[in-house]
Amino acid sequence: MNRQDSDKSRRFDAVPLRRSGLSMAIAMSVAMFSMPAAVWAQQADTTTGATTDQAAPQQTQKHAAKQETTSLSAVTVTGVRASMASAISIKQNADQIVDSIVAEDIGKLPDSNVAEALQRITGIQIDRNYGEGSTIAIRGLTQVRTEINGRDAFTANGGRALSFEDVPSELLAGIDVYKNPSAEIIEGGLGGTVNLRTHKPFDFEGQKIAVTGEYDYGDLIKDGHPSASALYSNRWDTDAGEFGLLVDVAYQKHSFRQDVISTEPFYTIHAGATDPATGEVYPEADYPGFEGRTLQVPHGGGVGETLGQRRRLGTSVALQWRPNADVELYAQALRSDYKFQWNDYSYFAYTGTSGMIPDPTKPFEFGPSGDFISGTFNGTGGVNADGAPDPSVAPTAGVSVDSNSSLTTRHSVTTDFSWGGSWNATNNLTLKTDFQYIKAKTDTFRYILNTHTTTPYFYQDIGGHTPVLGVDNAYVTNPANSAFNFLLDDKARSRGREFAWRADGEYSFGGDFLQSIKFGVRTTDRKAETEDSGYRFVWIGQPLSNFDNSTWVQRSFADFFHGDADVIGSFLAPNPSLLYDYDASRTMFGMADPLTYPATGTNKQGEKTYAAYALINFGTQLGSIPVDGNVGVRAVRTNVSTHGVMTDSTGAVLPLSVDNSYNSYLPSLNVTVHLTDTLQWRFAASKGLSRPSFDQLNPMLTLSTPNADTGANAYTGNAGGNPYLKPMTAKQYDTSLEWYIAPNQMLYGALFYKAVDGFVQSTSVNEPHVDQLGATHDYNVTRLVNGDNGVIKGAEMGYQTFFDFLPEPFDGLGIQANYTYVYSKAPSPDAMDTDGNPLQVPLEGLSKNSYNLVAMYEKGPISARVAYNWRSQWVVTTRGNGTGDLPIYDKAYGQVDASVTYHFSDLFSLTAAAVNLTNTKRATIFGVDTRPRDVQINDRMFSLKAQFSF
């Protein structure tokens, strides 16, 4: 059965712009700025006659200066001072609120990782994946649009954005972050838009060759690898015009390790937990000395060690042709190839939903609020026939202990082709066009082997900075007491492709108020497909003695946490060789069938967009104060088609297709008031949107099969997503005061406000569906919906300079400092306390406070930098693995990175760098400091880079 839901009744939701409060505000602002122009013109006519003549050239010169500075931002700079000056110039002369990072030299961003470079910008907070920056949030929102050279860029993973892990930083000339866009900026970034800029041949005056070689070493993994990059660029004058060619290749390989000590979720021991029949204290609640108190006790704890490798290969080839001064044509190909592999070895005591039985002969310690600190357990609480905890059921001896060995691989490739040109049709009219074809693929695989035993006792102490864990090592290392328990395997593949075309024009008026008008259209056709086998659970349940001794190994954590942790000593685990010989090992364990992609794990989406925009650049005078800016609107039509399956109440799998469409109108206003030559005030207002990710649009639906006689297994359903989701939208306002004291000295402060509509939430809704008997009932279906609204507001401030006034050699010292405050009032993710009561928590990934402090030195051949980044506590997830709905918070975290470069000549330099120099521990908690979740450490990464440039 095919279900085609064409949303034909939803016409072009054409809401007139005059009905929008934001549009009204923008229109009134433009009117206010245009009125003084006319008034001052009239006054000039009645007085000197010179004011009008001078005003227009002043604005024309200002516009020309902005154009010149912006174009110069693409030219390669050298050194920290030049990098800072270029970034400051871009910010000062941009038409929008923009922050930039400019490479200090070819192949040398200030940080070796793209996300870690972005964290130095006010308003940006990052999260790390195994010690390396991976994802970002701008002003508390993770809905960030990513571009390369102003075009779409994405990783095939069910989302819309590019994974910053995929891109070698050596390919980039700079990064621009647009926080409140104008109408010509492509829609999609609710938090902001990040544009990664690569080099092009016309960026250089002539031939340019740059080569880097690097070796890095991780002190925890105790392994290192070489990396390299090479760039060749040249331009030639011929009878047919000027040609340019650039080839840039970057290769990176890094090994990493992460050590983690975990505490399992807490449960509540209520005061007076006694058997009502006998009055005796239940075994789970028998804590001598703590009778009558309500206690919080963990379900266990464990350790994990992850070892892995990242490999990146990035390529950029660019061609430019300028047949005459008015025409330029170009073509570019970009390719990123990312391989990520890691092995995880974990060992943990975990009682699931059951409580642990305390050993009353051993001491216990609890905090003032009743939170567990330390103690010894020797049993596991009983469960009833349904598997639910039941204190009246006799407990079992010992504590369950498991060992997992796993292999995870990910391979992502994104290939991007673009071509186009620009034409100065007249002195006043410039036309541009751009074509893009991008395709991406990602393949992932995960394989887990589990062994199981029971330890006669389990000791746990979570009171210090590093938890202490202990088991009966003699018992758990005896092969006769262990078994291969189960295996889990899963594979997935994602594919995406897009064709995009845009055409833009700008007509310059050169008038007293109207400077120019920009206009353009853009259309895209995007496809996404995801196939997932789903995790396959295969029960083994056989003692180790049933298999060859080579199938298991005895492992230890002797050098865990650099040898500074007192945790589980030795244990038995699956031999890692089984993970790499996947086909043979799963066959040995009784599963010869390979994984397949079922219909229930496959979904496809298609999306077509049609956009048009118009923008007016204006300039005027308020008295003697120049004012310029732009006002515009962007209109977008989005057509979405989704394809998946529905499993009905009979168990039949049926095709399910849904079509949806919507229209969006996005007005914007950007105004800059030049109070002096160096002091300017900005105001920006706009409406932005962020479309649902493709995995959120998955139409998959599974209905229960109720018992028609008893009503058991009630009418429920579970949806993979919601194909009718609309984009999140925001009305956003920014204001900033910026003081450009010197070319590399700046002081600024900013305020921002976002009113966000349509946060995507999971909820239960009643939907009519047909049961297995043919009757229609309301099924309670859990699915994603556009939920409540929210507000995000905050402040940013920053200062950067070099202290040139100091005596030598201290005149090479400099500083960068910035601070961000973000407050959110938004729908809370589903979260529960240890008793199952709802909790209100902030937006995931949002720290209320964050700051950067960077000390710099550049003088003569020496350039050095020490950077500290700090962010306050934030919610990681309310859907942790094995933690139910308990919210997990990352505690406040700060990290120090450093680098020093010595320039032997203009052609050759050496750079030594360190990431996580102070070896900072990262910790997560269950809401309060006295209930820890994880304590982890990662590598300190040390590197030495040689750079040749000529």
Side-chain angles (χ1 to χ4, degrees):
M1 179 180 72
N2 279 300
R3 177 179 295 179
Q4 293 288 342
D5 292 333
S6 298
D7 197 11
K8 296 179 180 177
S9 62
R10 303 179 186 182
R11 302 289 181 186
F12 230 116
D13 310 322
V15 179
L17 289 179
R18 64 177 180 273
R19 298 181 184 177
S20 166
L22 176 61
S23 302
M24 285 286 291
I26 292 174
M28 291 175 64
S29 300
V30 174
M32 290 174 61
F33 286 118
S34 61
M35 287 171 60
V39 172
W40 281 98
Q42 292 172 3
Q43 291 177 346
D45 290 340
T46 59
T47 54
T48 66
T51 306
T52 305
D53 294 335
Q54 294 172 359
Q58 220 174 358
Q59 294 303 318
T60 303
Q61 290 166 8
K62 174 73 173 107
H63 183 70
K66 293 179 73 169
Q67 293 294 332
E68 180 182 0
T69 306
T70 303
S71 64
L72 286 174
S73 68
V75 177
T76 301
V77 298
T78 302
V80 176
R81 287 177 185 262
S83 172
M84 280 179 54
S86 183
I88 289 174
S89 178
I90 292 172
K91 181 178 180 70
Q92 181 180 8
N93 293 283
D95 294 328
Q96 310 92 357
I97 294 179
V98 177
D99 287 296
S100 296
I101 300 168
V102 178
E104 296 171 13
D105 205 339
I106 298 172
K108 190 181 179 185
L109 280 179
D111 293 88
S112 60
N113 171 276
V114 175
E116 288 169 5
L118 284 166
Q119 73 180 325
R120 313 297 176 194
I121 291 178
T122 50
I124 293 184
Q125 298 167 350
I126 74 167
D127 198 6
R128 291 178 169 85
N129 184 26
Y130 296 109
E132 184 177 271
S134 58
T135 59
I136 72 167
I138 301 179
R139 293 173 169 177
L141 290 171
T142 57
Q143 291 79 14
V144 175
R145 173 177 166 79
T146 54
E147 300 178 343
I148 296 181
N149 298 324
R151 305 180 190 93
D152 279 340
F154 57 83
T155 300
N157 57 8
R160 291 182 176 275
L162 177 72
S163 171
F164 292 117
E165 294 179 82
D166 294 6
V167 183
S169 59
E170 287 83 354
L171 289 184
L172 302 183
I175 307 172
D176 301 316
V177 179
Y178 297 87
K179 296 179 177 177
N180 200 328
S182 54
E184 79 268 29
I185 302 297
I186 301 171
E187 75 285 346
L190 206 61
T193 296
V194 177
N195 181 38
L196 310 180
R197 291 184 281 109
T198 63
H199 295 285
K200 295 182 287 295
F202 286 175
D203 293 347
F204 306 100
E205 293 182 358
Q207 178 175 275
K208 190 69 175 178
I209 300 174
V211 179
T212 67
E214 181 177 1
Y215 186 84
D216 67 31
Y217 178 82
D219 72 329
L220 192 59
I221 187 69
K222 295 180 174 61
D223 191 18
H225 297 280
S227 300
S229 68
L231 176 145
Y232 174 80
S233 179
N234 208 344
R235 52 198 295 179
W236 302 271
D237 282 315
T238 71
D239 293 339
E242 187 174 17
F243 289 87
L245 168 68
L246 179 143
V247 179
D248 196 357
V249 180
Y251 171 84
Q252 292 180 349
K253 188 175 183 180
H254 306 292
S255 291
F256 64 88
R257 174 176 153 185
Q258 177 175 285
D259 291 354
V260 180
I261 305 175
S262 298
T263 302
E264 298 297 344
F266 287 71
Y267 61 98
T268 304
I269 301 293
H270 292 282
T274 59
D275 188 330
T278 64
E280 296 180 356
V281 176
Y282 285 126
E284 290 91 334
D286 188 11
Y287 291 89
F290 298 94
E291 296 86 353
R293 291 187 59 184
T294 297
L295 307 174
Q296 296 289 333
V297 182
H299 280 286
V303 294
E305 183 180 83
T306 303
L307 305 94
Q309 284 187 349
R310 296 180 171 96
R311 194 276 287 160
R312 301 179 182 88
L313 177 61
T315 307
S316 172
V317 178
L319 298 169
Q320 288 178 287
W321 175 33
R322 191 174 291 154
N324 56 57
D326 294 321
V327 176
E328 182 177 313
L329 303 175
Y330 60 84
Q332 186 171 25
L334 294 164
R335 190 175 191 270
S336 67
D337 187 322
Y338 178 58
K339 289 185 177 180
F340 180 37
Q341 176 177 303
W342 52 269
N343 293 93
D344 177 71
Y345 307 101
S346 60
Y347 194 77
F348 52 96
Y350 180 45
T351 59
T353 58
S354 299
M356 292 197 294
I357 307 300
D359 183 345
T361 67
K362 299 292 193 302
F364 277 83
E365 185 179 1
F366 288 86
S369 61
D371 289 335
F372 172 85
I373 295 176
S374 65
T376 304
F377 304 89
N378 60 8
T380 304
V383 296
N384 61 24
D386 296 326
D390 189 343
S392 65
V393 177
T396 57
V399 177
S400 177
V401 180
D402 287 87
S403 172
N404 284 344
S405 295
S406 72
L407 169 67
T408 304
T409 63
R410 172 192 153 200
H411 186 198
S412 296
V413 178
T414 299
T415 307
D416 179 0
F417 302 97
S418 58
W419 61 99
S422 62
W423 175 36
N424 297 323
T426 69
N427 291 334
N428 301 92
L429 178 63
T430 300
L431 300 174
K432 299 179 181 179
T433 189
D434 185 86
F435 298 84
Q436 181 192 24
Y437 176 75
I438 180 171
K439 60 180 181 179
K441 64 178 183 179
T442 295
D443 294 282
T444 60
F445 171 73
R446 184 156 169 78
Y447 184 33
I448 303 172
L449 292 174
N450 172 275
T451 58
H452 175 79
T453 186
T454 300
T455 177
Y457 74 85
F458 174 64
Y459 173 74
Q460 191 169 16
D461 181 350
I462 59 175
H465 292 292
T466 305
V468 177
L469 304 174
V471 298
D472 188 333
N473 280 112
Y475 187 89
V476 299
T477 55
N478 185 344
N481 299 325
S482 294
F484 277 109
N485 206 29
F486 63 82
L487 70 81
L488 280 171
D489 54 356
D490 173 68
K491 69 175 182 178
R493 64 184 180 193
S494 298
R495 301 292 185 266
R497 66 97 174 144
E498 178 183 281
F499 177 80
W501 170 75
R502 66 180 296 172
D504 302 87
E506 180 174 12
Y507 187 85
S508 299
F509 297 103
D512 292 347
F513 178 71
L514 293 179
Q515 300 293 309
S516 67
I517 181 171
K518 291 183 178 181
F519 50 90
V521 295
R522 182 174 184 263
T523 181
T524 67
D525 184 354
R526 184 165 174 178
K527 304 290 184 184
E529 179 179 2
T530 301
E531 297 176 291
D532 194 332
S533 67
Y535 274 99
R536 178 176 63 179
F537 178 86
V538 179
W539 174 252
I540 301 172
Q542 299 183 46
L544 297 186
S545 57
N546 285 9
F547 301 92
D548 190 273
N549 290 346
S550 63
T551 60
W552 52 268
V553 296
Q554 182 169 314
R555 295 183 60 89
S556 70
F557 290 107
D559 65 340
F560 202 65
F561 271 62
H562 294 289
D564 295 332
D566 182 8
V567 293
I568 297 162
S570 298
F571 61 97
L572 301 182
N575 192 323
S577 64
L578 299 177
L579 301 172
Y580 293 98
D581 197 355
Y582 167 67
D583 291 333
S585 64
R586 65 177 168 78
T587 301
M588 178 184 71
F589 290 124
M591 178 48 68
D593 296 335
L595 287 169
T596 58
Y597 297 117
T600 52
T602 302
N603 64 93
K604 301 178 182 180
Q605 291 81 31
E607 180 181 270
K608 295 182 179 181
T609 67
Y610 308 91
Y613 75 90
L615 177 147
I616 295 174
N617 288 306
F618 59 85
T620 186
Q621 298 253 138
L622 292 177
S624 61
I625 299 175
V627 178
D628 56 50
N630 60 73
V631 61
V633 64
R634 188 177 188 89
V636 190
R637 169 79 172 182
T638 305
N639 296 333
V640 182
S641 61
T642 60
H643 308 278
V645 297
M646 179 181 76
T647 304
D648 69 10
S649 292
T650 68
V653 178
L654 309 172
L656 178 62
S657 297
V658 178
D659 294 331
N660 191 21
S661 62
Y662 49 86
N663 304 296
S664 307
Y665 302 95
L666 310 174
S668 64
L669 168 70
N670 290 271
V671 177
T672 304
V673 180
H674 303 274
L675 302 173
T676 70
D677 289 341
T678 59
L679 181 66
Q680 63 187 35
W681 171 71
R682 291 183 187 269
F683 173 77
S686 68
K687 184 177 181 180
L689 66 79
S690 181
R691 297 182 178 91
S693 62
F694 290 113
D695 54 4
Q696 291 176 329
L697 295 171
N698 182 1
M700 186 275 291
L701 176 63
T702 301
L703 300 178
S704 65
T705 306
N707 187 304
D709 298 323
T710 65
N713 194 18
Y715 298 94
T716 60
N718 185 65
N722 185 348
Y724 292 111
L725 285 175
K726 294 296 180 73
M728 292 172 57
T729 60
K731 294 178 181 179
Q732 43 201 13
Y733 306 89
D734 287 73
T735 185
S736 67
L737 188 63
E738 304 162 2
W739 185 16
Y740 298 95
I741 307 167
N744 54 26
Q745 186 179 15
M746 172 178 64
L747 175 66
Y748 63 92
L751 300 174
F752 60 87
Y753 180 93
K754 293 176 182 283
V756 183
D757 184 11
F759 279 96
V760 177
Q761 299 173 271
S762 178
T763 189
S764 295
V765 294
N766 288 326
E767 299 176 0
H769 293 285
V770 178
D771 68 11
Q772 73 273 22
L773 301 179
T776 299
H777 293 273
D778 279 340
Y779 281 70
N780 190 252
V781 177
T782 301
R783 68 162 67 249
L784 298 176
V785 298
N786 289 109
D788 295 333
N789 304 335
V791 169
I792 297 172
K793 57 186 178 180
E796 301 170 351
M797 60 185 68
Y799 176 69
Q800 57 191 61
T801 189
F802 273 92
F803 302 112
D804 298 318
F805 58 87
L806 294 175
E808 294 186 354
F810 304 106
D811 55 346
L813 289 171
I815 188 173
Q816 287 179 299
N818 61 57
Y819 166 77
T820 302
Y821 170 81
V822 184
Y823 167 82
S824 71
K825 184 178 181 181
S828 173
D830 291 338
M832 303 289 178
D833 64 14
T834 54
D835 286 327
N837 301 312
L839 289 175
Q840 291 293 312
V841 299
L843 282 175
E844 292 182 5
L846 169 63
S847 291
K848 185 172 286 188
N849 299 281
S850 60
Y851 65 84
N852 288 281
L853 289 173
V854 183
M856 302 170 290
Y857 183 83
E858 185 170 71
K859 188 173 180 62
I862 299 175
S863 177
R865 177 174 175 267
V866 179
Y868 179 71
N869 174 267
W870 181 90
R871 59 181 299 191
S872 60
Q873 179 173 292
W874 71 96
V875 176
V876 180
T877 183
T878 59
R879 290 287 189 273
N881 183 16
T883 61
D885 292 337
L886 288 173
I888 298 175
Y889 290 78
D890 231 310
K891 295 183 69 174
Y893 178 83
Q895 180 169 302
V896 177
D897 304 324
S899 65
V900 59
T901 299
Y902 189 87
H903 298 272
F904 291 89
S905 69
D906 292 340
L907 305 180
F908 175 64
S909 64
L910 278 178
T911 300
V915 177
N916 189 23
L917 184 62
T918 54
N919 199 28
T920 307
K921 290 180 182 177
R922 185 171 173 176
T924 59
I925 57 175
F926 291 109
V928 294
D929 289 343
T930 52
R931 299 177 194 170
R933 170 55 174 167
D934 291 331
V935 178
Q936 74 177 49
I937 64 170
N938 297 92
D939 293 276
R940 284 179 295 185
M941 298 298 296
F942 301 95
S943 64
L944 183 65
K945 175 186 282 189
Q947 181 158 358
F948 302 85
S949 181
F950 49 90

